[in-house]
């Protein structure tokens, strides 16, 4: 569907957790078989989602789409939830601090 609304700058995901579960029911089904309940489906041992990708039961592209929408939904949730927003800001500050320390250490070696 195409919506032409003057002044609308962007369309995004908002509270799409239920929609993600429905749309990616196959990924959720594989995820239930993972060895660990908090599996991130990245490189954990016993990950049924990665095993499904490896044997062709689930396409890599579909898993990438799932991850992308999951990240976007988490970001949207952090905009409305103060605790999540603080966690996001703290994580960004830690990354920035680490990069500054790395660059400073690199400059001292010169």
């Amino acid at each position: 569907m195409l919506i032409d609304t003057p002044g609308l700058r962007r369309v995004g995901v908002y509270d799409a957790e239920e929609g993600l579960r429905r749309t990616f029911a196959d990924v959720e089904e594989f995820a239930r078989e993972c060895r660990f309940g908090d599996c991130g489906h990245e490189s954990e041992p016993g990950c049924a989602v990665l095993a499904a990708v490896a044997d062709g039961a689930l396409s890599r592209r579909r898993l990438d789409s799932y991850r992308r929408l999951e990240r976007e939904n988490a970001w949207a949730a952090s905009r409305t939830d103060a605790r999540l927003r603080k966690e996001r800001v703290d994580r960004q500050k830690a990354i920035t601090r680490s990069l500054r320390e790395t660059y400073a250490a690199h400059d001292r070696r010169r």
Side-chain angles (χ1 to χ4, degrees), residues 17-67:
E17 191 146 346
E18 181 60 32
L20 271 172
R21 273 192 235 121
R22 284 190 207 161
T23 304
F24 292 98
D26 52 346
V27 178
E28 294 285 330
E29 186 66 34
F30 289 123
R32 283 190 207 103
E33 302 299 321
C34 287
R35 181 175 172 188
F36 301 108
D38 63 347
C39 185
H41 319 302
E42 295 291 334
S43 61
E44 295 84 0
C47 178
V49 174
L50 294 179
V53 170
D55 70 13
L58 179 67
S59 75
R60 169 63 65 181
R61 187 174 177 189
R62 184 150 175 81
L63 179 58
D64 291 343
S65 294
Y66 173 76
R67 287 177 176 156

Side-chain angles (χ1 to χ4, degrees), residues 11-14 67-78:
V11 176
V13 175
Y14 179 75
R67 287 177 176 156
R68 189 171 36 256
L69 288 171
E70 202 173 43
R71 277 193 311 270
E72 188 174 341
N73 189 46
W75 183 82
S78 75

